[in-house]
Amino acid sequence: MKAGKTTGGPGGFGAFINREQVAGYVFILPFIIGLVCFTIIPIIISLCLSFTKYDILSAPVFTGLSNYVRMFTQDPTFWKSFRVTLFYAVVSVPLKLIMALFVAVLFYRGTRLTAFYRAVYYLPSIMGSSVAVAVLWKRLFAVDGVINSLLAFFGIDSQIGWLSRPDTAIWTLIVLSVWQFGSSMLVFLGGLKQIPVSLYEAATVDGCSRPKQFFSITLPMLTPVIFFNLIQQTINAFTAFTQSYIITNGKPLDSTLFYSVYMYRRSFEFSEMGYGAAMAWFMLFVVSVLTALIFKSSNSWVYRASE
Amino acid sequence: MLINPTLKKAATVLLAGVLAAGMFAGCGSGNSGSTASPAASSTAASSAASTASQAPAAGSEAPAGEATIRIAWWGNQLRNDTTTAMLNAYVAENPHIKYEAEFTDWSGYWDKLATQAASNNLPDIIQQDYAYIAQYHSKGQLANLTEQVDAGRLDISDVSESILSLGSFDGQLYALCAGVNAVGMLYNTRLAAEAGVDVPLRFTYQELMDMNAKVFAATGVRGETPGGNGGITMMSRDVGEVFFDVANGKIGSSEATVLRYFQQVKSTITSDWSVTVDVMQESSTAGVENSTLSTVKSWNTFPGGSNMMAAHQAPMDDELAMVMYPAVDDATKESMYLRPAMFFSITESSTNKEAAADILNYYTNSEAAQDLLRAERGVPVSSKMADYLSPQLEPVQQKIFAYIAEVTEVAVPFDPPQPAGANEVNKLLDDLTDLVRYGELSPEDAAARFLPEANDILAKATA
């Protein structure tokens, strides 16, 4: 590279390094290296592996599209896990957002203890996908767990293992997800603070009731934040792993077999890395399409101040 | 004034460079994959050691037999403590040897080992399991131990032939049994006594169900019958069949046996004395300390091996005892067997096979080692060492030793190591068993599905 006309540096290397762009790139170099080393290269490798049969112990063998063909045509468990994950996402994400918004609105009209409660409600989100919470959940919903003891206190004798019944197990995981509404709640709180107070004052003067204010002012003004939360939580739901892996391991009868858990099982327990990689790419495709659809739809429902 | 900002910029660039270099170094040591090094070796030392062990020539081992042995196992805290204590004792006696231990739990272990195998960076000694040795042997990852025996470095004269055969392929030893195990039924002696049930050493399925009913009637505590791979393996052996017919790459159990298995599952779950499907499901994802037996939700259970007795007993006040597996009512063959709790193998890629063999010899034949290991991996394989250790053990360990001695009287050889695809077949068996338990599938339908689907999995896995 030739030394350009720059201020300060005495030409040569100094001039080169002092160029604004070059210095900038050097500053972010550590991050770039990390990104390439640990994210980009593995992603590319996984794409290559998805066209192979690879048992980790021996070298991968190129098999063309066979993993994808088998996945779509010969593996009922694949579709089962896809349906389970889809159901989980479609049910848990809206419930979680409604819960988060509800609590955020409550907190918005602050009392002295608001900060304290905000922290308390945020806690589950931090611990959210941790193993400890998963184990706690398992105990809560066990046959001899807290839920059944509470029911017994109200005179209902329940011998149900909530996580052991194919029809209730997925709901306990959904409840767990809804319980972790804290981070969405914080984003909503931030959004609420952005809404100009003058709007509410004007509405009050015009004799607008509280519920009407909520639906006509709060909700429309919040749509950008709802949009953000929706995208974030949808992606989270589709990639959920720990809850299913630790609490139920996909049981009973695969009714809680999340896509990512099945992918892990194929890759590591059945030593089919190629198949697992193919599954990962299909999931990437689905999540990308969904995100694109949400983005596309946003034009018709998200409020943008500039318009 | 003009130089100052330049210097400042240069310094920050340098700093960034150092950071980047740090990341590269991070990449490098990540490959050597040592999660825990109790030998107090730094990361730098460990990566240096792994490069040394990969050097092909003897140049790096110039000073009289000096070597660093990497040894990997899965296990629990007790195993980590006892094994490192033994290794420290060995190193104290053999100062020219250093060791690096790499231990994880079961599930992480195989992922890690596979990755290391892929990068040609396996430890010198690896703990092995019956479900994996065939796979590792067929990929040429295990060293021939018979060569070490012939060279006089590994003494196996006190180990029985039937135990050695389980780690052998074509008459050559590739995996040395680390401790002996046997399947059986664990039961709660207090509940049995309360119900007036005298549990015999051997019994049939019908007698087992009668005992379950009696205990439930007297104490209200429920009972179990065997299920899953353990159940169907023993039912097959009872009539002279082998569940995984490795030689022919298919399931060796007959349709009649498979049907009998699923019918047993059905008749257990529909009986009034059976542990409910809810509880069964919960315990299937719980640890040993939360097993149905240890939490007194059932009076009996069928663990994977006799070494599990200690773990089941630990959280309990009631005393446990162990008897043999039930036999089908028209059994024609002896089915009880001794099996390795786990193995040790030396890897083919190891450049220190002699030193590694010496450590295995110490593990197997040294009294000092037994004192430190406390039979945590099962009864010592050397009969001499078992006799030496037995009188010094805690009561529960002594019971395990006594049970192994009983089984040794009758034991016949075990099935060959599980083939590739076995994990998936076992999962299929569990899934179908669950479907029958939940009443979603009749035993006949489950049996009709199992054989073709399992054979299909095995065919694909070996293709």
Side-chain angles (χ1 to χ4, degrees), chain A residues 256-286:
Chain A
T256 61
L257 184 66
F258 285 175
Y259 192 87
S260 53
V261 174
Y262 185 53
M263 188 166 85
Y264 175 86
R265 186 179 286 166
R266 277 282 161 198
S267 307
F268 290 103
E269 287 173 30
F270 300 161
S271 306
E272 296 178 72
M273 270 301 162
Y275 195 82
M279 285 187 69
W281 276 88
F282 178 67
M283 178 49 81
L284 179 70
F285 173 76
V286 169

Side-chain angles (χ1 to χ4, degrees), chain B residues 50-311:
Chain B
S50 60
T51 36
S53 69
Q54 276 166 4
S60 59
E61 293 162 27
E66 212 159 273
T68 301
I69 300 295
R70 289 166 61 213
I71 172 167
W73 66 85
W74 73 85
N76 47 46
Q77 194 54 47
L78 180 63
R79 180 173 305 162
N80 301 343
D81 294 344
T82 55
T83 313
T84 36
M86 181 212 81
L87 288 169
N88 286 335
Y90 177 83
V91 172
E93 279 180 37
N94 303 277
H96 60 288
I97 302 288
K98 291 197 194 77
Y99 78 90
E100 277 168 29
E102 302 175 6
F103 44 77
T104 55
D105 63 349
W106 165 266
S107 56
Y109 183 77
W110 297 104
D111 308 351
K112 188 176 148 186
L113 221 54
T115 320
Q116 288 178 331
S119 57
N120 198 22
N121 189 30
L122 279 173
D124 300 280
I125 301 177
I126 53 176
Q127 191 170 296
Q128 265 288 358
D129 184 77
Y130 206 54
Y132 286 85
I133 50 173
Q135 197 183 354
Y136 273 76
H137 171 254
S138 69
K139 306 283 182 199
Q141 301 283 358
L142 306 182
N144 187 336
L145 295 180
T146 303
E147 288 170 7
Q148 304 298 333
V149 174
D150 292 343
R153 279 185 283 265
L154 183 56
D155 179 8
I156 50 169
S157 52
D158 295 320
V159 185
S160 83
E161 192 54 43
S162 65
I163 287 295
L164 289 174
S165 68
L166 295 173
S168 299
F169 296 91
D170 302 325
Q172 302 287 302
L173 186 66
Y174 284 90
L176 180 65
C177 182
V180 182
N181 228 345
V183 292
M185 178 178 96
L186 275 177
Y187 71 95
N188 185 320
T189 54
R190 176 181 65 85
L191 294 171
E194 264 175 38
V197 170
D198 192 14
V199 184
L201 187 60
R202 315 212 64 175
F203 46 87
T204 64
Y205 268 91
Q206 189 54 52
E207 287 163 332
L208 169 64
M209 293 198 284
D210 292 344
M211 288 192 283
N212 281 344
K214 241 180 172 174
V215 172
F216 179 61
T219 67
V221 177
R222 294 164 184 276
E224 296 182 3
T225 60
N229 174 280
I232 200 164
T233 296
M234 292 301 275
M235 275 188 175
S236 305
R237 290 170 62 84
D238 280 339
V239 292
E241 297 165 358
V242 46
F243 181 58
F244 283 117
D245 182 358
V246 178
N248 296 311
K250 61 185 187 65
I251 300 294
S253 306
S254 65
E255 277 174 38
T257 303
V258 174
L259 179 60
R260 191 212 295 262
Y261 165 80
F262 284 113
Q263 279 169 340
Q264 178 61 50
V265 169
K266 184 78 182 172
S267 70
T268 295
I269 203 69
T270 48
S271 71
D272 51 0
W273 47 257
S274 170
V275 169
T276 63
V277 69
D278 294 66
V279 172
M280 252 181 225
Q281 204 59 230
E282 270 170 31
S283 72
S284 71
T285 55
V288 175
E289 59 278 6
N290 286 316
S291 69
T292 49
L293 180 71
S294 297
T295 52
V296 203
K297 288 174 188 138
S298 74
W299 79 285
N300 64 347
T301 199
F302 299 85
S306 47
N307 65 335
M308 301 294 284
M309 185 173 180

Side-chain angles (χ1 to χ4, degrees), chain A residues 241-250 256 258 261 264 269, chain B residues 107 285:
Chain A
F241 177 79
T242 322
Q243 299 91 316
S244 166
Y245 184 67
I246 305 279
I247 302 179
T248 57
N249 197 11
T256 61
F258 285 175
V261 174
Y264 175 86
E269 287 173 30
Chain B
S107 56
T285 55

Side-chain angles (χ1 to χ4, degrees), chain A residues 124-150:
Chain A
S125 290
I126 303 175
M127 307 183 299
S129 55
S130 78
V131 172
V133 167
V135 173
L136 168 81
W137 221 248
K138 212 158 148 176
R139 293 307 308 154
L140 279 180
F141 288 95
V143 174
D144 54 357
V146 174
I147 301 293
N148 279 348
S149 305
L150 277 177

